[in-house]
Amino acid sequence: MILHDWDEAKNRALLRRSFGALPSGGAVVISELLVNDEKTGPAPAALMSLNMLIETEGRNYTQAEYSAWLEDSGTSRRSGSRHPARTAP
């Protein structure tokens, strides 16, 4: 619950550095409220995103955004995972 505080560039850097600091077989866990692809809901995530836009340089992001950032950071290539970002049911 920290990535929503930052813009895309800082989040990408945080994820790269976090992954780079892991021991072999380690994992990066992202625990955030996800907005839908249209960035209109669900309501708790959209309202929190609005608050983040006002108070910080961040917002709430979509699963696709996190997946792209993890892919770009090399997470899926290094771990061998075909699904670098997953959400809990």
Side-chain angles (χ1 to χ4, degrees), residues 4 15 17 25-27 30-31 33 36 40 45 47 49 51 73 75 77 80-81 86-88:
H4 61 261
L15 289 170
R17 291 177 69 191
I30 297 173
S31 177
L33 292 175
N36 59 24
T40 59
L47 291 170
S49 189
N51 188 47
S73 73
T75 303
R77 287 187 297 277
S81 171
R86 296 182 183 166
T87 58

Side-chain angles (χ1 to χ4, degrees), residues 17-75:
R17 291 177 69 191
S18 296
F19 186 75
L22 288 173
S24 178
V28 171
V29 176
I30 297 173
S31 177
E32 292 282 346
L33 292 175
L34 300 175
V35 290
N36 59 24
D37 290 337
E38 296 77 28
K39 299 181 180 106
T40 59
L47 291 170
M48 183 175 177
S49 189
L50 177 60
N51 188 47
M52 292 297 98
L53 286 167
I54 294 167
E55 294 184 8
T56 71
E57 57 192 79
R59 63 177 174 82
N60 283 54
Y61 299 95
T62 67
Q63 179 179 351
E65 288 171 304
Y66 286 123
S67 293
W69 300 348
L70 291 169
E71 181 70 28
D72 291 348
S73 73
T75 303

